[in-house]
Amino acid sequence: MDLKLAGKRALVTGGSRGLGFAVAEELCGEGVRVALLARDAAAVESAAAGLRAAGHDAIGVVADTAQDRQVESAVAAATERFGGIDILVNGAAKAAGGPATGFLALHDDDLRSEMETKVLGYLRCARAVAPQMIESGWGRIINIGGLAMRRTGSVFGSVRNVAVAAMSKNLADELGPKGVNVTVVHPWVTETEGVRDMIRDRSAAQGITEAEFTQDLAADVSVGRLIQPSEVAHVVTFLASPLSVAINGEAVATGGGLSGPIFY
């Protein structure tokens, strides 16, 4: 299938590693020119250099998405380099993890940080690119949420991802008539570098093998294993394409299917 993405221009936040880089790599493979955005200048330039070495048109831009001016500067740099931005993939956020914590032990400032980065950070980036998408009459914004929004056990994880979904629907209704579709993708535990590090550390702490720990993590995934970053990236890339016009304001789960509840 030709996704009709060749020549499009994308900004991928959180793009230096993990799921963000997997998305950038997949977009590049479809002929998209990609700007990777991350806070670590060395890491994002190294990631972009790797894509260029593979024959793709990619650059790294540096910004902390919790800072308005940094976001505006990064978007301006990517726009100047490519002549515009057609696709925004928002993925810059603190990775979820750690043991479940009762709400009485949580600190308000930690939630403020989560919301500042994942929710307001996504909103800043969308606000920075939306005017040019509206002007051109076409665009795609894909926000990476998380299936913690459908699960208890992590108050902050649930709150931030529900907020991302609500924000996405609001933007979709406002921007859809202007040719800009907005969707939210909800991964579950995805086997990124960070998750592999977590598997190694926790399996050692529990005195079990990494394979056993991984099997436990995937116990309620209906396909029977953890999903790979590239497999989430396939879905995001379709949503970034002109062929996805029928999907707007919707939440797309990419966790391999969580057993039990029925969502409709």
Side-chain angles (χ1 to χ4, degrees):
M1 180 182 291
D2 177 8
L3 294 181
K4 304 185 185 307
L5 279 168
K8 296 292 188 187
R9 303 151 301 182
L11 175 66
V12 180
T13 78
S16 63
R17 66 194 303 266
L19 183 54
F21 182 76
V23 168
E25 195 170 34
E26 186 75 14
L27 288 170
C28 282
E30 294 293 328
V32 179
R33 306 164 72 190
V34 176
L36 308 177
L37 182 151
R39 291 183 298 178
D40 186 322
V44 76
E45 178 51 35
S46 176
L51 293 174
R52 290 194 297 271
H56 304 303
D57 192 353
I59 62 169
V61 292
V62 180
D64 178 350
T65 58
Q67 303 296 324
D68 286 329
R69 290 185 178 178
Q70 290 187 33
V71 168
E72 291 166 3
S73 295
V75 169
T79 300
E80 181 178 6
R81 173 64 173 77
F82 294 144
I85 296 171
D86 307 298
I87 299 159
L88 169 66
V89 180
N90 269 320
K94 180 181 177 182
T101 303
F103 85 97
L104 293 176
L106 299 176
H107 299 287
D108 292 352
D109 284 343
D110 291 334
L111 178 56
R112 292 187 182 98
S113 177
E114 294 280 354
M115 302 299 283
E116 186 69 53
T117 302
K118 189 158 191 177
V119 182
L120 289 173
Y122 284 14
L123 187 61
R124 286 184 186 94
C125 293
R127 188 168 53 213
V129 302
Q132 57 180 286
M133 292 181 178
I134 292 169
E135 184 176 357
S136 70
W138 193 90
R140 294 288 184 269
I141 298 173
I142 301 103
N143 296 316
I144 306 299
L147 281 172
M149 57 92 68
R150 294 181 179 173
R151 304 290 290 265
T152 59
S154 171
V155 174
F156 291 175
S158 297
V159 168
R160 69 175 186 167
N161 289 309
V162 168
V164 167
M167 178 186 70
S168 300
K169 175 57 175 168
N170 276 274
L171 295 183
D173 284 1
E174 183 173 347
L175 298 177
K178 300 177 172 73
V180 182
N181 283 32
V182 185
T183 49
V184 56
V185 170
H186 291 308
W188 187 228
V189 180
T190 304
E191 203 170 346
T192 61
E193 303 99 311
V195 168
R196 286 195 294 269
D197 290 343
M198 179 269 288
I199 290 171
R200 183 193 62 238
D201 294 343
R202 293 197 192 173
S203 60
Q206 294 181 21
I208 60 177
T209 68
E210 292 183 21
E212 289 171 327
F213 189 88
T214 302
Q215 186 175 13
D216 288 344
L217 277 181
D220 58 354
V221 177
S222 62
V223 300
R225 61 172 176 81
L226 297 183
I227 295 299
Q228 299 300 306
S230 62
E231 293 168 330
V232 178
H234 296 327
V235 177
V236 174
T237 300
F238 172 74
L239 292 173
S241 80
L243 301 186
S244 71
V245 66
I247 305 172
N248 190 38
E250 302 295 342
V252 180
T254 58
L258 293 183
S259 300
I262 298 172
F263 297 97
Y264 58 91

